[in-house]
Amino acid sequence: MFHDRRSALSGYVSGLLSEGRTVFTAEEAEQALGVGHGAFLDAAERLQRRKALLSPRRGFYVLVPPQFASWGAPPPAWYIDALMRYEARPYYVGLLKAAELHGATHQAVMEFQVISAKRLPRIRAGRSLIAFHFRKDLEEVGAGIESRKTDTGRMKISSAALTALDLLRYPQASGGIDNVATVLSDLGRKINPEELAALAALAGRPVAQRLGHLMEHLGHGSLTGPMREALQRRGSPPWTELDRQEARDPEFLPEPREFDHRWRVIVRRVPEPDK
């Protein structure tokens, strides 16, 4: 009887693959196969041990096609949209992963970074690590979220402008100020100035100040005009440190190298982007 259940689930999985589907829920499979939850879990566990199935969240399953058997899972882009719909949470793929998707990266991105309206634990999916970062105002930045086609459907990613702002908003997830400068050197030319100004109002003035300084430093100053005008309409902002992480260690805090009066940014070390 157990063998029959396992074979039935294997057949169900094979059928989904032949239809181009890569995900299903436990409830869907139980209804399709006419089995109870316990019987389904037994059969699913056997397929997981055979590396044919992955469960990144309880009740949500990802099929592992033969070509990805050695990876342990297909790329997260194949199932991230379905996973977040299962979680019933808005999201977008962002930060360094979004920059990579926009063609701006000088090194392999080690994490598949997702911005979510819910705090979620990381997921280890085969060779991939899906890292979630919380943003409570996610729905307000909808104008900066794009739909990107994938091999199995679509997923949501941040626009070049929103990606740039997020790199300064989440510095620890962005690899530090030098890496941010490296990414912005390529990403800058893809940014829409008006969109950047509109989204910067939601990011907070210090984020806009740091980004404005870096964009000018990297030769993309022609794109920052609308953002700076919007910032000035709100009055002169307080001075802010370019590198917040560096400024948090007062014992080793270097003397300022530059005071950028246009953006009111204190620069203690000039970022060094990779060439």
Side-chain angles (χ1 to χ4, degrees):
M1 184 67 177
F2 176 75
H3 178 75
D4 290 342
R5 291 168 182 162
R6 191 175 69 235
S7 298
L9 184 57
S10 295
Y12 177 73
V13 166
S14 297
L16 293 180
L17 280 174
S18 68
E19 297 170 4
R21 286 188 56 185
T22 54
V23 302
F24 67 92
T25 67
E27 184 178 2
E28 288 174 333
E30 289 162 18
Q31 291 179 354
L33 299 174
V35 300
H37 188 57
F40 165 78
L41 288 178
D42 288 340
E45 183 180 354
R46 180 60 177 256
L47 288 182
Q48 286 177 269
R49 288 200 298 267
R50 289 168 48 192
K51 309 299 183 183
L53 205 58
L54 173 75
S55 181
R57 285 284 186 264
R58 180 177 296 180
F60 181 87
Y61 292 84
V62 177
L63 284 60
V64 183
Q67 66 267 34
F68 292 109
S70 63
W71 291 19
W78 281 31
Y79 57 87
I80 189 62
D81 190 72
L83 174 62
M84 297 310 291
R85 279 189 279 111
Y86 180 76
E87 294 278 3
R89 297 291 174 177
Y91 82 99
Y92 60 86
V93 178
L95 297 166
L96 297 175
K97 188 59 186 180
E100 180 184 66
L101 293 168
H102 286 294
T105 183
H106 288 255
Q107 56 187 349
V109 178
M110 304 305 294
E111 297 179 342
F112 192 91
Q113 296 169 312
V114 177
I115 310 297
S116 170
K118 179 183 179 181
R119 298 186 189 278
L120 296 169
R122 294 184 170 199
I123 295 174
R124 171 62 69 180
R127 293 183 182 180
S128 301
L129 179 65
I130 305 176
F132 296 92
H133 301 275
F134 175 69
R135 180 170 194 153
K136 66 179 180 180
D137 65 340
L138 190 147
E139 293 187 353
E140 296 180 19
V141 297
I145 301 175
E146 304 174 352
S147 178
R148 177 68 64 92
K149 190 177 185 303
T150 70
D151 290 339
T152 57
R154 307 195 73 84
M155 67 179 176
K156 298 175 182 178
I157 76 167
S158 54
S159 66
L162 182 55
T163 301
L165 289 161
D166 281 351
L167 290 172
L168 275 300
R169 181 183 174 120
Y170 302 89
Q172 288 180 306
S174 303
I177 199 68
D178 291 333
N179 195 54
V180 171
T182 298
V183 174
L184 287 176
S185 63
D186 287 340
L187 187 66
R189 53 178 158 269
K190 300 189 177 183
I191 291 174
N192 179 287
E194 285 70 29
E195 180 190 359
L196 181 65
L199 292 170
L202 302 170
R205 289 196 291 182
V207 170
Q209 290 169 251
R210 296 182 191 110
L211 179 58
H213 168 82
L214 276 178
M215 293 280 284
E216 291 191 353
H217 173 70
L218 295 167
H220 298 303
S222 61
L223 303 174
T224 64
M227 181 171 68
R228 187 165 183 273
E229 290 173 8
L231 194 65
Q232 288 179 317
R233 285 196 293 270
R234 299 166 62 187
S236 181
W239 284 88
T240 188
E241 296 276 353
L242 175 61
D243 190 340
R244 289 188 302 168
Q245 298 300 115
E246 187 177 63
R248 285 176 180 170
D249 192 347
E251 292 186 9
F252 298 96
L253 193 63
E255 291 296 319
R257 292 278 302 275
E258 176 188 350
F259 288 91
D260 182 344
H261 289 270
R262 277 176 55 80
W263 294 98
R264 294 179 69 82
V265 170
I266 303 168
V267 181
R268 298 183 185 273
R269 184 180 63 81
V270 177
E272 299 179 359
D274 292 340
K275 300 300 183 182

